[in-house]
Amino acid sequence: MEVTAIIEKIKTYTNEKLAHSYLQQYLDSPELDEDKVYFLTLPFPFHISEEQIKAISTTLLIEVALETHESIRNQNSEQFKEQQLTVLAGIYFSGLYYQILAKEENLNLVKYLASGIKEINEVKISLYKKGTDYHDIFQSLIKLETALIKRVFEFYNHHPFHPVLENVLFFKRLMKEQELFHKGEESVLFRALLKSSEDKGTDSKRLVMNMVMDKIMELRSVIVRQINLDPKFSTILKDRILTIIHEPTLPLKTLAEEG
């Protein structure tokens, strides 16, 4: 089966599980990260079984559940129903992955993924602590993005999880957080960085925006160097990674004006 067909099959299966007529009336349908779906298929270069497709879908369902809980913010009374539904949706999506794995009797994978969930929750708690330095905040963001996918690679004995994939996922998360901040929406990264830089004067917002932009530009260079130095990367994988990292960034001037 072609990679594109595998990705579509995984997305279709996952979206069918996510579909809930009542929730869809009030909440936006969760979006699956197609690049992450593709990376999750890498441990299966020659053949992928139905069980492995369900394992990937399960991992995606966990991510959706965690992101749904993360999206809950302080809302006014008019938005209270939506907030309640968001909580229920997160619980509902969480339950789906247990249901799938229980049917498959894949208890070992449950243990691996539960370990990833534990790491993610611990990282989220640490991000709320004041005094965390920038390096630790960036490392926390990397763990948020890679904890689950690393567990899948470990479970299927696909060692190691290549550093370039870690950097690509980190790059994508930085771009997402930058866009959220630009739109005036909740950004876990910018909130943590701004909290950490509160004692650095009135220009802390500009300092943080510069820092994130510098990290994005640095990662672009690092990733290009990594894929050019490693002969094991297929042309398809290289092309996909290059497409990801050449996504346009928001101009710093625009960020400063909006921030």
Side-chain angles (χ1 to χ4, degrees):
M1 191 185 297
E2 293 285 336
V3 173
T4 305
I6 292 171
I7 291 173
E8 285 306 311
K9 187 170 184 177
I10 292 167
K11 287 172 61 180
T12 299
Y13 180 84
T14 309
N15 283 323
E16 284 174 356
K17 294 296 179 183
L18 288 170
H20 190 292
S21 57
Y22 183 72
L23 291 174
Q24 287 176 330
Q25 290 180 48
Y26 299 97
L27 302 175
D28 294 333
S29 298
E31 290 186 15
L32 300 178
D33 184 335
E34 192 164 306
D35 294 317
K36 192 166 281 188
V37 177
Y38 173 64
F39 292 157
L40 281 163
T41 67
L42 293 179
F44 321 106
F46 305 112
H47 172 74
I48 187 165
S49 67
E50 288 297 317
E51 181 270 330
Q52 290 161 345
I53 285 174
K54 289 178 180 178
I56 292 173
S57 296
T58 296
T59 307
L60 296 170
L61 288 170
I62 296 171
E63 294 222 329
V64 168
L66 293 170
E67 287 172 7
T68 301
H69 283 299
E70 194 174 289
S71 70
I72 299 168
R73 298 182 294 276
N74 292 327
Q75 299 175 346
N76 57 41
S77 57
E78 294 178 2
Q79 297 171 306
F80 184 62
K81 182 175 183 178
E82 182 179 339
Q83 181 174 333
Q84 286 181 311
L85 286 169
T86 304
V87 173
L88 290 173
I91 296 169
Y92 172 71
F93 298 148
S94 298
L96 288 174
Y97 98 85
Y98 286 111
Q99 182 186 52
I100 294 169
L101 291 180
K103 285 183 179 179
E104 294 297 311
E105 297 183 351
N106 202 339
L107 297 180
N108 287 329
L109 182 56
V110 170
K111 292 177 183 177
Y112 272 79
L113 294 177
S115 169
I117 295 169
K118 179 175 179 288
E119 181 180 5
I120 288 170
N121 287 331
E122 288 173 349
V123 167
K124 285 182 177 179
I125 292 170
S126 72
L127 282 171
Y128 284 96
K129 293 179 180 176
K130 188 174 180 179
T132 307
D133 67 31
Y134 302 144
H135 174 75
D136 288 340
I137 291 170
F138 283 137
Q139 289 302 308
S140 293
L141 202 68
I142 291 171
K143 289 177 182 177
L144 289 179
E145 282 302 295
T146 63
L148 289 175
I149 190 170
K150 279 184 175 180
R151 295 313 192 282
V152 173
F153 273 58
E154 289 170 10
F155 182 76
Y156 288 103
N157 297 315
H158 192 81
H159 294 287
F161 184 74
H162 202 287
V164 73
L165 298 182
E166 183 173 281
N167 282 332
V168 171
L169 291 172
F170 182 30
F171 175 90
K172 282 173 63 70
R173 184 61 185 255
L174 287 176
M175 293 284 283
K176 177 184 175 181
E177 295 292 326
Q178 186 188 61
E179 184 179 3
L180 288 171
F181 185 72
H182 172 65
K183 291 179 177 179
E185 298 179 13
E186 178 74 7
S187 164
V188 172
L189 172 66
F190 277 86
R191 182 182 61 198
L193 289 173
L194 287 169
K195 189 172 184 179
S196 181
S197 62
E198 283 177 348
D199 59 345
K200 293 183 172 57
T202 54
D203 285 337
S204 59
K205 190 176 289 186
R206 181 176 292 276
L207 174 70
V208 167
M209 290 188 295
N210 281 333
M211 190 184 308
V212 173
M213 182 63 77
D214 288 347
K215 180 58 71 173
I216 288 172
M217 301 308 290
E218 176 193 330
L219 281 170
R220 275 199 175 121
S221 300
V222 169
I223 291 167
V224 169
R225 187 164 63 251
Q226 285 176 318
I227 60 175
N228 286 334
L229 289 174
D230 195 329
K232 296 193 294 295
F233 275 91
S234 67
T235 302
I236 295 174
L237 182 54
K238 279 186 179 180
D239 288 346
R240 191 175 195 106
I241 289 172
L242 289 172
T243 299
I244 292 169
I245 65 172
H246 286 115
E247 180 183 343
T249 53
L250 293 166
L252 190 59
K253 182 174 182 292
T254 304
L255 283 170
E257 289 171 351
E258 293 293 328

